[in-house]
Amino acid sequence: MRSKNLIKMVLFAFAAVVVLTGISSQVVADEKLKGKTVNVNKATVQEFQQVPLISKELAEKIVKYREKNGDFQVLEELLQVEGFSRDLLRKIKGFLLLEGIGGEECTC
Amino acid sequence: MKDKQEKRGLNRRDFMKISAAALTGCMLGQTPGLGSLVFGQPLAPGQFDREVVSCCQFCQVRCTTKVQVKDGRAINVYGHPDNSWTGGGMCPKGKSMVELTYSPHRLLHPMVRRGEKWEQIPYSEALELITDKMNKVKAEFPEEYEHRVALFAPLWESRESELAAETTMHLAGFSDICSPGDGCIGNSATTLSICLGSAVSPTTLDEILNAEVAVLFGANIAEIYPPYVRWLVAAREKGVRIIYLDPRRTPTSNFCDVHLRPRPGTDGALVMGLLQHLIANNLYDQEYVASKVNGFDMVAEAVRPYTVEKVAEITGLTKESIQDLAQVWGRSKRILSWMGASLSRYTNSMQTVQAIIALQAITNNLVGQGKGLMNVQGGKPGGDDEFSKKYRVPDLAPGLSFRKMLANMERNYVRVVLLNSSFRRYPDSDRVRKALEGVDFVVYRGFFMTEEAKVSHLIVPGTLTFESDGSQYGAQRQVVWRQQAVVAPGEAVPDWRFYLDLGRKLCGETYPAVNSAAEIYELMRETSPSWKGLSLERVKASASGVIWPCFKPEGADGRGSLYPEGKFLTSSGKVELNIKALGPLAWSEPKGSPFVKEAGSEGFPLVFSQGKVVQHWQHTFTEWSGFMAQFSEGNFVQVHPETAARLNLSDLDPAWLETELGRIQVRTKVTEDVLPGVIWTPSYPDPASPFAGNKGQSINSIIPGYWDKVSAQFNGFGCRLTKITG
């Protein structure tokens, strides 16, 4: 019985940590960006670092990819950047803005 | 204007130039005033069994033709006499198709690579092999396979081939179809789309006869679209003044009233100067601007620094000629501007096209009789969005652009490539070849043992023009129909057949129930209101084609302005001069220009430029014609006498043409056709061609990979020329 309670307590504590971490991450993110979004086609490495969960290393990879390959057309294209996962995109999508030029299909 | 064109005869000392000029003249058919040279003329009755209506597969003039067949073999082709755009003319590229069709170099059967050797396999086995490879990609990466198969789209075979390929990819769950736009005119098409609401040419060529002035912005019509020369001639006969802007003296120089030669890549600065002059002197239509144009204030502010003095310094033109040119827009009531594809070959192209649109807009020259804007190669009809939405798996990710596909190939992410066009169309083309070499399975759809065939694992031969039917579109947004004239050799199949067969194997019954090019055409037409009037029956009956958009089965087609009511297809219905993602209108030197002082640029002081010649179109086609090789000269470079003297180069000297990427060997041609400090070289030489004249090193292998937001740059960067001694 005791061990069951112990397990329950551990699980509860674990869940609380997960929830609180999520909340605190959200709070930190809101605090960092203050309701603003980052345009993925213009942001600098420093600006990308304002987005929660984007490290300096990942920010550099995003900017390098964009400079080499042109504007992102949809946010899902960020998945083409090495180290950018679907899970990460789902978590930070709300902080990202997409304004850029997409190439029209050739008319020749 | 001081820069008035010099009149030239054809008594050129250089045999090749005579040949090229003769070729240009030959294709003009029966145009009054230019003589009627015998070229592409019909055979007399009795010399052939039957005639079939066809059209040329090369450039976007899309000459309709008649193919004469004897004993089941195409023996002659000539321009359709009832085609109002060509007047029955055609150029030698189309004529070469008779030779190419029966070339001993044709690929006739599917072949699979076994080590260093090729093994012939049946078409059905080739399809099985591709299906198996594509299904394995899905099985191996069930969560994210959509960008792991890439298609380099079929070019020019037929509209149905494009549609069948798109449907196959999108129904099978693969997103990436690389259209030629990334290496072509995607940036000017995009700018037109943002500013006016449609990517295609805003007007048609017949309006030139109603204009006061026609301005050719780098549009070398006589060389690139030779059958259209008759329109320049007819316009001049009607009193239309033709102004040609091109750094190079070309055959088109012979058909204009004024030829101005700005430095390559400076058209945008020139047009900003014209805008500045017009706005500063109130020489624009304020009423039109107030009611039809958004973004005028931004333009007025942006062009303010572009004084005549500054623009003269940038472009190399005289102040007087710039002022005179501005006065053309200030005084003339009907101006038609024709933008050449060369405008799209610089990293500042979008801003240049944006400025030209602004110029036409603020002077009320966008819509109306004798007014408008044309984009060379700008004829692909729109209206297929509904089709594209209907025939794709739900929630399919948007396709990636070429550069992103290339990056994915380089990291071994892409596992299968369906290669329908040449990797040599891109700058730094050796990088593209290397990336392809790293892909697990490359399928080549082509006609000859090209460089593309050599990097592939499986070859499935395609058909040439006379061997299949289908619709095609041209620069006037016209849709034409081509009938099959002869039976395809071996197991060569048209692209629409190949992709339809592949689609069936991959998707089963979910693939649309169509079995011919005509059925694919109708499948697309029935989804699009703007295609309703383009019935197959009507298209087949017209030698000139029926012009998109065409909403009604009867009555007028889309000839003339795309915006006949003066309402543009932007969300506001007005011209939108603000392009948010680009910021305010601005001009900058092309990337890598020797006029930009950057580390490493000092070693490449000459401006590089390149282009097509009359006897060649794209890679993999005309380079395989011995007929065309007679008029070709391999790699050469045009150099101005002053530059040549400085470099100790004489006519015919061998030299190295070098860029930051590498070098190719060329032969020097000293000529005033190019400006001092600028070189020009033809784009056709192909290392795989079996013919000496066509054979050469690919110039795209030394063109650095500079890009704007949409397209690649092919001109305007720095290079050097060094005499080869010993």
Side-chain angles (χ1 to χ4, degrees), chain B residues 183-365:
Chain B
C184 190
I185 62 159
N187 44 13
S188 59
T190 302
T191 311
L192 280 169
S193 178
I194 293 170
C195 296
L196 303 180
S198 173
V200 298
S201 259
T203 197
T204 51
L205 180 54
D206 44 340
E207 284 299 340
I208 198 171
L209 300 181
N210 299 319
E212 273 182 52
V213 181
V215 184
L216 313 180
F217 283 98
N220 180 6
I221 301 303
E223 187 105 36
I224 311 299
Y225 282 176
Y228 283 164
V229 164
R230 62 195 295 274
W231 290 90
L232 300 183
V233 173
R236 288 182 81 195
E237 282 174 358
K238 276 196 77 178
V240 180
R241 194 166 175 231
I242 310 276
I243 298 173
Y244 180 39
L245 298 161
D246 194 322
R248 206 163 63 99
R249 200 159 53 188
T250 73
T252 304
S253 308
N254 293 320
F255 301 100
C256 64
D257 296 282
V258 176
H259 181 189
L260 295 172
R261 302 174 68 184
R263 180 164 65 77
T266 62
D267 303 76
L270 173 60
V271 178
M272 288 178 75
L274 303 180
L275 284 162
Q276 188 275 337
H277 184 88
L278 293 169
I279 294 169
N281 294 286
N282 275 329
L283 294 171
Y284 66 98
D285 189 329
Q286 296 183 21
E287 196 178 320
Y288 186 81
V289 167
S291 63
K292 296 286 184 186
V293 180
N294 282 340
F296 174 80
D297 291 344
M298 177 278 292
V299 171
E301 181 64 27
V303 301
R304 194 166 294 147
Y306 286 80
T307 59
V308 169
E309 289 75 18
K310 176 174 173 156
V311 173
E313 193 182 327
I314 293 172
T315 60
L317 298 175
T318 62
K319 284 189 280 184
E320 293 75 20
S321 63
I322 295 165
Q323 281 165 336
D324 286 352
L325 190 59
Q327 287 300 324
V328 168
W329 271 271
R331 290 190 192 128
S332 309
K333 300 294 178 199
R334 299 184 311 280
I335 303 176
L336 186 141
S337 286
W338 200 345
M339 301 187 291
S342 56
L343 289 186
S344 303
R345 305 293 191 248
Y346 300 94
T347 47
N348 57 22
S349 298
M350 293 191 75
Q351 290 85 352
T352 300
V353 174
Q354 183 186 9
I356 293 172
I357 293 169
L359 182 64
Q360 290 289 102
I362 71 163
T363 53
N364 188 9
N365 272 303

Side-chain angles (χ1 to χ4, degrees), chain A residues 71 77 80 99 104-105 107, chain B residues 190 193 377 380 404 408:
Chain A
D71 281 1
E77 269 188 27
Q80 303 300 312
E99 273 181 2
E104 282 285 336
E105 191 183 358
T107 50
Chain B
T190 302
S193 178
Q377 297 174 306
K380 183 173 186 175
K404 289 161 190 164
N408 278 349

Side-chain angles (χ1 to χ4, degrees), chain B residues 409-656:
Chain B
M409 287 195 286
E410 287 179 324
R411 66 184 176 110
N412 197 28
Y413 186 86
V414 175
R415 297 304 172 92
V416 175
V417 167
L418 302 168
L419 185 60
N420 273 78
S421 61
S422 174
F423 63 77
R424 288 294 186 198
R425 8 178 344 105
Y426 301 101
D428 195 0
S429 56
D430 284 345
R431 179 186 162 202
V432 188
R433 179 179 62 190
K434 199 173 168 193
L436 280 165
E437 285 170 347
V439 174
D440 291 353
F441 193 65
V442 178
V443 181
Y444 179 54
R445 288 277 305 152
F447 322 98
F448 304 102
M449 191 51 82
T450 57
E451 288 189 285
E452 288 71 27
K454 288 172 185 168
V455 301
S456 66
H457 304 87
L458 176 67
I459 295 169
V460 186
T463 50
L464 290 172
T465 310
F466 304 154
E467 298 161 353
S468 70
D469 51 14
S471 73
Q472 293 197 276
Y473 44 84
Q476 308 310 319
R477 298 183 245 120
Q478 82 275 28
V479 179
V480 297
W481 186 262
R482 182 187 79 226
Q483 291 176 29
Q484 183 177 356
V486 295
V487 174
E491 287 186 281
V493 293
D495 283 319
W496 62 260
R497 166 55 66 192
F498 169 75
Y499 283 106
L500 194 153
D501 290 341
L502 183 62
R504 285 263 157 68
K505 289 191 81 67
L506 287 165
C507 311
E509 293 306 309
T510 57
Y511 204 87
V514 286
N515 202 35
S516 67
E519 286 175 8
I520 297 171
Y521 180 94
E522 285 299 338
L523 189 72
M524 199 285 284
R525 193 176 74 87
E526 70 188 22
T527 63
S528 175
S530 63
W531 279 72
K532 288 293 177 218
L534 290 156
S535 71
L536 201 48
E537 192 180 27
R538 188 176 178 186
V539 168
K540 280 181 177 177
S542 174
S544 308
V546 185
I547 298 169
W548 179 87
C550 187
F551 292 88
K552 294 178 182 172
E554 305 295 332
D557 63 8
R559 189 175 297 255
S561 177
L562 191 59
Y563 315 102
E565 311 299 323
K567 188 172 184 226
F568 297 92
L569 298 175
T570 54
S571 56
S572 62
K574 296 181 179 182
V575 179
E576 292 290 348
L577 296 178
N578 276 311
I579 300 180
K580 203 172 174 185
L582 288 185
L585 181 63
W587 177 82
S588 57
E589 291 281 358
K591 285 181 189 169
S593 164
F595 287 81
V596 179
K597 297 301 170 204
E598 289 173 346
S601 67
E602 62 278 1
F604 301 102
L606 302 174
V607 176
F608 185 101
S609 65
Q610 56 81 39
K612 292 189 179 83
V613 295
V614 69
Q615 72 272 25
H616 286 294
W617 189 243
Q618 291 283 3
H619 311 278
T620 75
F621 260 76
T622 48
E623 286 83 355
W624 291 78
S625 163
F627 177 71
M628 294 308 175
Q630 297 175 90
F631 308 102
S632 305
E633 305 172 73
N635 294 109
F636 68 88
V637 66
Q638 292 183 331
V639 192
H640 190 274
E642 282 176 25
T643 312
R646 192 156 41 83
L647 299 171
N648 192 28
L649 282 164
S650 302
D651 220 17
L652 305 181
D653 272 351
W656 291 116

